[in-house]
Amino acid sequence: MRQRPIDINSNDNTLFITSRCNNRCLMCCQPPNNDDDMDELFEENLRRIHSAPQSLDLIGITGGEPTLLGDRLIVLIQEIRKCLPNTEIQLLSNGRRFANYEYVKKIAEAGDGMLYAGVELHSDYYKDHDMIAGAKGAYRDTLLGLYNLALCGISIELRIILCALNYRRLYNISLFIHRNLPFVEWVAFMGMEQTGYAVKNAKKIWIEPIDYQEELLDAVKLLADWNYHVSIFNIPLCLLPTYLHDYARKSISDWKNHYAPICDSCVLKMDCCGFFSTSKNYFQGIRPFCQNTVE
């Protein structure tokens, strides 16, 4: 995979670690493969770290599954800390290899308080999580990994990708988070990117955002009432109840951010995440806001 240059003006500066993954998530936007790419990408990422601007606020680490790089991931984090001492690190992972406490401890030490982990949780129910993750035992590994992250002082952004297989349990998922994972720093409910496995498995997992708004509203309200930091990613404002607008973020990476022609007349366009240019279709039900509808 060819990586984009690090750009101080971009909202998505990332180090792509590998196209390999130990999950096979049913909605994966970038289906994994078994390419022998880790050595080449490791050397490339070292060069990118050394050439990155010192004023970079945030750098991401992603894949595939970055932790498959093993201890060389620690080396990359150490290099970021040495070359970019003021840059925060976002490590995106399915969380399974965090089940190894000693490994998490090394990551925490290398990150030196400037690293947080974004981890996907597909359901509060283990069979649903494993089915969506496409890997038996994924739920156990991920939950243990979340506890290890907390024990080692790494902040956690919990990510729930909304699909037909979990939207009915959104309230239960929020309740589970409050009862069992109260240490998470942020909770993000995420609309799907309609590409990759999300297209291949559409009959099983696809649901239009307009069809889960009641469930999403209840789930967000529960966590917000308990003062959790809650966000909604990748869902346009016109598909959300007004109450949820304050939780919606302009979350889509600038290099694949796109708006439908109908959005041109919307007075909330500049505050809206828009769409993935990589998605197969626009969401159903989109409409522009005019001035008198938002006052």
Side-chain angles (χ1 to χ4, degrees):
M1 177 178 176
R2 184 177 180 180
Q3 302 195 66
R4 294 173 300 105
I6 289 180
D7 179 1
I8 192 66
N9 297 311
S10 174
N11 69 349
D12 182 28
N13 287 299
T14 57
L15 306 178
F16 185 81
I17 302 302
T18 180
S19 56
R20 296 183 178 186
C21 189
N22 52 350
N23 277 357
R24 290 295 183 271
C25 295
L26 296 178
M27 77 292 286
C28 183
C29 61
Q30 187 172 293
N33 57 49
N34 293 317
D35 287 354
D36 187 12
D37 59 2
M38 283 192 271
D39 291 345
E40 180 180 353
L41 286 170
F42 176 75
E43 296 300 328
E44 179 184 344
N45 284 323
L46 283 175
R47 292 192 295 270
R48 299 181 82 221
I49 292 167
H50 294 157
S51 63
Q54 288 283 310
S55 54
L56 199 65
D57 291 329
L58 176 70
I59 192 165
I61 297 177
T62 187
E65 175 49 46
T67 60
L68 296 182
L69 190 60
D71 284 342
R72 285 188 295 174
L73 176 60
I74 312 297
V75 174
L76 287 180
I77 295 170
Q78 290 171 336
E79 285 299 303
I80 295 172
R81 284 280 60 83
K82 182 174 72 174
C83 298
L84 304 168
N86 299 314
T87 302
E88 191 170 26
I89 302 169
Q90 179 196 55
L91 174 59
L92 298 181
S93 171
N94 60 38
R96 294 186 64 190
R97 289 213 164 184
F98 298 150
N100 182 329
Y101 174 80
E102 293 302 322
Y103 187 57
V104 177
K105 187 178 178 182
K106 290 179 183 178
I107 290 175
E109 290 171 351
D112 194 25
M114 293 282 286
L115 178 147
Y116 71 93
V119 179
E120 294 176 2
L121 180 68
H122 298 303
S123 179
D124 60 307
Y125 178 49
Y126 78 99
K127 287 188 177 180
D128 285 348
H129 180 95
D130 284 5
M131 175 176 57
I132 295 169
K136 188 175 182 179
Y139 179 85
R140 175 196 172 277
D141 291 345
T142 298
L143 263 291
L144 182 55
L146 290 170
Y147 283 107
N148 283 339
L149 289 168
L151 284 170
C152 292
I154 295 178
S155 295
I156 300 166
E157 178 188 75
L158 206 58
R159 298 180 155 211
I160 300 109
I161 300 176
L162 306 168
C163 72
L165 298 176
N166 66 8
Y167 82 97
R168 292 185 179 89
R169 296 192 65 87
L170 289 183
Y171 184 86
N172 288 24
I173 293 171
S174 288
L175 192 60
F176 176 85
I177 292 168
H178 178 57
R179 289 175 172 173
N180 299 282
L181 304 169
F183 46 78
V184 299
E185 189 75 20
W186 308 276
V187 179
F189 294 94
M190 307 180 69
M192 271 190 288
E193 185 176 355
Q194 198 179 13
T195 188
Y197 282 170
V199 174
K200 177 183 177 181
N201 298 316
K203 290 183 179 179
K204 183 182 294 186
I205 65 163
W206 183 256
I207 183 172
E208 292 290 335
I210 200 169
D211 293 328
Y212 54 62
Q213 294 314 302
E214 182 178 344
E215 290 82 2
L216 179 60
L217 179 64
D218 289 343
V220 170
K221 275 187 172 180
L222 187 151
L223 290 173
D225 285 348
W226 284 103
N227 295 318
Y228 287 85
H229 298 294
V230 188
S231 296
I232 298 171
F233 291 173
N234 312 339
I235 303 176
L237 293 174
C238 62
L239 298 180
L240 294 171
T242 303
Y243 173 87
L244 294 180
H245 284 194
D246 287 343
Y247 301 95
R249 305 289 177 256
K250 295 192 71 172
S251 51
I252 297 175
S253 302
D254 50 20
W255 61 275
K256 57 179 177 179
N257 187 213
H258 178 70
Y259 294 90
I262 197 175
C263 302
D264 289 344
S265 63
C266 182
V267 298
L268 296 184
K269 180 179 177 181
M270 297 306 296
D271 299 317
C272 182
C273 69
F275 302 91
F276 289 102
S277 62
T278 49
S279 282
K280 182 180 178 182
N281 300 299
Y282 295 126
F283 295 137
Q284 294 176 11
I286 59 171
R287 67 196 193 284
F289 284 98
C290 56
Q291 192 62 47
N292 63 357
T293 62
V294 296
E295 291 179 342

